[in-house]
Amino acid sequence: MSTGERSGRMDPRLRFLFLLVVLMLLGRHAVLVLRTAVLSDAVDLGTYYVHARMLWEGANPVNPPELLEYGRRLGLKPLAGVSPPTFSFLFLPFALLPWGAAKVAWTLAGQAALFGAGWIAWREMVARGLPRRESALGVAGFAAVFYPAKQTLTLGQMDLLLGLAAAGMGWAMARGRGVLAGILALALGWMKIQLGAVIVFLLWTGRVRRELGAVALLGLIWLGGAVAVFGGQPVIHYLEFLRDHLGKGLNPDSVNYSLNGLLARALQPRTGAAFAQGVNAILTAAIAVASFWVLWAARKSREGAWLEAGFLLLSVWMLAPLSEEHHLAWLIAPLLVAMTDPALREGRLQAALFLGALLLVGVEHYPHALWKGPGVLPELLRS
């Protein structure tokens, strides 16, 4: 075995070919970024923009006629779903810009977050003894083809910023920095409400138990800032929206890839709403209990913190009432770090299962395209 093979380094000729492939992928990605920032009106970004401006002006984005009329005046078509006022408060600097400038600024912010998450993953890989150049090429290539990251870019979603927060949280957990892990988990929840469950998991495992006071104080300051700028009424409107949205039962939306959506499409049409909702409640409780148990068993170890962070985020993604593919951009750093963990790579079965998961999640083709039509098996492939 050569010295290069023992150290994990590539043959220089192979590295050159790898470099060419990555450069082509990055060039394609740059074209996509340019098109999104200049030539298209990303629907979710337009929704954030309209909602934040309405809250700034004292209007109510939860009211559909008022929302559509305001969007029409701006030449945008916002969606009815409402983000937490705490996110709109964070987005407000972008909303106060003209629409064209807001598109460019938000797109560049998302790409900076993607770079930051990749840089954190690269630093972890190098710290484990992996070659610097090969690791950098691998991270860049993976980020350029990872489908959830591409989808959140084209939609103008917030998930790349959430991916950076998740990367920072994994880094903090691996080093026992509970305050930073808790603050970043708080940011996840204040930006996307279902990710508030991350704080619950971290409290359970004791990762932020001693630092809870500092995290709670920051959360109150953030919430207080949103109320001071927008007033208290948007918080009430948002809670009413959640109540009405969650009270509708299972969500059969075609973009819903969570357990909720799977049962709504595959089981509910055949058995009725009551039975499907009962199955959903039982499975949700079972998965939550299993997640709590797995995280409790790993609570004292820092070596598996990255795998724990990815497992935690994936559990929340599975159990939320609505989860879409682009939400998996949260996982880009935990996936890269866990995938290159020597303990995982030495186990062939684990590596094969992990590769299979990456293919289903990351390849730029929907899994359900393998088999279209109604039925349980197609929905399993799809979800």
Side-chain angles (χ1 to χ4, degrees):
M1 182 180 293
S2 67
T3 303
E5 290 173 328
R6 285 196 301 269
S7 65
R9 297 184 182 278
M10 285 185 177
D11 179 275
R13 291 168 295 182
L14 182 58
R15 185 194 300 158
F16 178 71
L17 292 176
F18 191 18
L19 173 63
L20 290 180
V21 171
V22 171
L23 287 176
M24 287 189 290
L25 291 173
L26 291 176
R28 173 177 172 272
H29 183 76
V31 171
L32 180 62
V33 171
L34 182 63
R35 188 184 71 183
T36 303
V38 179
L39 300 179
S40 64
D41 291 332
V43 60
D44 289 320
L45 174 56
T47 300
Y48 299 155
Y49 186 80
V50 172
H51 287 183
R53 289 182 71 96
M54 290 182 71
L55 291 176
W56 174 251
E57 296 177 9
N60 179 17
V62 179
N63 187 319
E66 197 172 346
L67 175 67
L68 292 176
E69 173 58 24
Y70 197 98
R72 185 190 63 79
R73 295 204 307 267
L74 294 175
L76 299 171
K77 296 180 180 179
L79 301 176
V82 179
S83 298
T86 43
F87 169 71
S88 296
F89 175 65
L90 185 68
F91 185 81
L92 189 59
F94 298 95
L96 296 179
L97 295 172
W99 170 238
K103 281 195 303 179
V104 173
W106 180 253
T107 303
L108 293 178
Q111 294 310 294
L114 179 62
F115 176 85
W119 182 79
I120 291 173
W122 174 76
R123 287 291 299 271
E124 290 292 287
M125 292 161 65
V126 171
R128 291 178 174 178
L130 295 176
R132 298 172 66 89
R133 294 178 182 176
E134 285 82 348
S135 297
L137 289 174
V139 170
F142 184 80
V145 300
F146 190 54
Y147 183 75
K150 173 186 173 183
Q151 193 182 35
T152 193
L153 165 65
T154 56
L155 292 173
Q157 269 281 355
M158 67 177 82
D159 297 295
L160 292 176
L161 278 76
L162 295 174
L164 176 59
M169 186 182 72
W171 182 90
M173 289 169 60
R175 286 156 179 78
R177 300 187 180 182
V179 173
L180 181 58
I183 288 173
L184 291 170
L186 171 72
L188 291 171
W190 262 176
M191 293 174 69
K192 192 173 284 289
I193 194 66
Q194 61 263 43
L195 285 172
V198 171
I199 283 282
V200 178
F201 280 110
L202 293 182
L203 283 172
W204 168 257
T205 59
R207 297 284 188 184
V208 298
R209 195 169 297 159
R210 296 178 181 177
E211 299 84 1
L212 182 59
V215 175
L217 178 61
L218 178 63
L220 290 174
I221 293 173
W222 191 342
L223 179 60
V227 172
V229 172
F230 297 141
Q233 201 64 27
V235 176
I236 297 173
H237 289 157
Y238 181 69
L239 293 176
E240 291 174 346
F241 168 79
L242 287 181
R243 178 199 63 196
D244 297 339
H245 182 72
L246 296 177
K248 295 179 181 179
L250 302 182
N251 186 346
D253 198 314
S254 61
V255 299
N256 187 5
Y257 283 72
S258 68
L259 175 66
N260 186 300
L262 167 65
L263 295 175
R265 294 186 300 270
L267 190 62
Q268 186 167 270
R270 292 164 177 77
T271 63
F275 182 80
Q277 289 174 19
V279 173
N280 180 67
I282 293 171
L283 291 178
T284 297
I287 293 172
V289 169
S291 298
F292 275 116
W293 180 82
V294 169
L295 292 171
W296 176 258
R299 69 191 185 282
K300 295 182 179 179
S301 172
R302 293 184 186 177
E303 295 181 0
W306 279 101
L307 195 57
E308 178 183 336
F311 178 80
L312 191 162
L313 292 167
L314 196 57
S315 297
V316 173
W317 183 83
M318 186 185 302
L319 297 176
L322 175 64
S323 293
E324 303 181 35
E325 277 186 313
H326 56 81
H327 294 164
L328 290 169
W330 313 336
L331 291 170
I332 188 163
L335 277 175
L336 279 166
V337 177
M339 181 173 60
T340 55
D341 188 337
L344 183 65
R345 289 185 290 122
E346 288 171 4
R348 294 185 179 182
L349 176 60
Q350 294 92 326
L353 290 173
F354 209 86
L355 178 60
L358 286 175
L359 287 173
L360 286 175
V361 170
V363 174
E364 295 186 36
H365 296 284
Y366 292 96
H368 70 271
L370 297 173
W371 184 357
K372 297 180 180 180
V376 176
L377 183 56
E379 288 298 340
L380 286 174
L381 289 171
R382 185 176 189 274
S383 303

